[in-house]
Amino acid sequence: MMDDSVMQMEIAGKKIRVIGKEGVHPETMIYAISFEAKGPQAVEKCLKLGVSENELLMVEITGLRWDEELSPWPEALKDMHCTGEADACLKTLTENICPRVEEKLGYVPKKRILAGYSMAGLFSLYALYKTEVFNSIASVSGSLWYPKFKEYAMTTPFACHPEHIYLSLGDRESRTRHPLFRTTQSNYEELRDFYAGQNLDSIFELNSGNHFQDPAGRVAKGIAWLLRSGRQEEGILR
């Protein structure tokens, strides 16, 4: 089993845990925003999916104010506190957390992946429109029901051309009486088609189950696909 505590620290009030093999410096570093600290499980599932431990280094970030810091703009939603602080959170991530983690590790990766589940999946996709720090993202069971986000994504240019975009959702997540949540799958599908029309390397996968089924496994599938796509791009896979 891979060491799940290469490094732990706190930066800007966020808990940081680096998960991977001691001393390994892969060219792609994975940043994953997590609600329940499932990074070690996701890493183990990545290994079972064929990812080499020599290319797997995850920086798991927890301790966020979930609805507040991951929402792109304020929305008055029942039972949620979506105060629209994503820009400030992204600034903390790119200007404070990433540099300090990489300084501690002693290297700067060639590429970075940002992965997230639920509201963090929304945030991961939003990040592509706001920063050049991340080359690829995984939006896993992301909150793409968020009001006006689909329209934003289809009318706003990326900060830089993303290399790979992984989108996934549970096949039961949109089967709900909540009028916003019912739009999640159709929004994903519209964005899939839109990105395909932009000649972006993207994929949309439907997983079995509802929103709460196997988050770590779904995140692992996204990470494995992104790393595999990166290897193919480098010509390592034939």
Side-chain angles (χ1 to χ4, degrees):
M1 181 176 290
M2 183 178 287
D3 184 359
D4 68 354
S5 58
V6 172
M7 184 187 302
Q8 296 188 54
M9 68 187 85
E10 186 170 311
I11 302 174
K14 311 295 185 287
K15 295 180 180 179
I16 312 298
R17 175 164 54 172
V18 180
I19 306 160
K21 183 180 178 182
E22 189 77 44
V24 167
H25 293 164
E27 72 168 23
T28 300
M29 189 180 295
I30 302 152
Y31 285 86
I33 298 174
S34 178
F35 183 73
E36 295 181 329
K38 294 185 178 292
Q41 295 97 313
V43 166
E44 289 300 321
K45 288 175 181 285
C46 281
L47 296 175
K48 292 178 181 179
L49 289 170
V51 177
S52 166
E53 63 180 14
N54 292 320
E55 62 175 338
L56 190 56
L57 190 65
M58 176 186 287
V59 180
E60 183 181 39
I61 304 159
T62 58
L64 286 82
R65 293 178 293 113
W66 199 248
D67 296 340
E68 293 89 343
E69 293 188 278
L70 298 178
S71 51
W73 45 78
E75 289 288 346
L77 301 174
K78 185 179 179 181
D79 300 324
M80 300 183 72
H81 299 91
C82 296
T83 52
E85 300 173 41
D87 286 352
C89 182
L90 189 58
K91 182 179 176 69
T92 297
L93 175 61
T94 58
E95 297 183 9
N96 196 343
I97 293 175
C98 292
R100 286 185 59 185
V101 167
E102 292 164 15
E103 180 183 14
K104 288 285 187 180
L105 290 172
Y107 90 111
V108 175
K110 181 180 177 181
K111 300 178 182 180
R112 299 178 187 87
I113 287 170
L114 181 61
Y117 197 93
S118 192
M119 284 294 289
L122 171 72
F123 177 84
S124 296
L125 186 54
Y126 178 68
L128 286 180
Y129 295 90
K130 305 296 288 190
T131 180
E132 300 180 359
V133 170
F134 302 103
N135 307 89
S136 303
I137 66 95
S139 175
V140 183
S141 290
S143 302
L144 301 195
W145 51 261
Y146 201 78
K148 301 185 287 291
F149 182 79
K150 180 188 70 176
E151 293 77 11
Y152 173 87
M154 296 174 71
T155 58
T156 306
F158 290 115
C160 66
H161 189 81
E163 293 185 4
H164 314 289
I165 299 175
Y166 178 87
L167 310 171
S168 75
L169 189 70
D171 60 9
R172 298 185 64 83
E173 292 196 51
S174 293
R175 300 181 188 180
T176 172
R177 294 181 180 179
H178 195 295
L180 275 178
F181 296 172
R182 279 204 305 267
T183 67
T184 307
Q185 183 170 333
S186 62
N187 287 351
Y188 261 112
E189 290 171 344
E190 287 187 53
L191 285 175
R192 171 202 61 196
D193 295 343
F194 175 74
Y195 293 147
Q198 301 296 309
N199 294 318
L200 295 169
D201 184 27
S202 61
I203 188 174
F204 172 59
E205 290 191 332
L206 270 179
N207 297 295
S208 176
N210 62 26
H211 186 68
F212 303 99
Q213 186 166 329
D214 193 21
R218 292 182 185 180
V219 169
K221 284 179 66 178
I223 291 170
W225 184 86
L226 291 171
L227 291 175
R228 185 164 57 247
S229 296
R231 292 199 305 271
Q232 290 173 331
E233 190 171 77
E234 295 294 330
I236 297 174
L237 291 183
R238 302 296 181 184

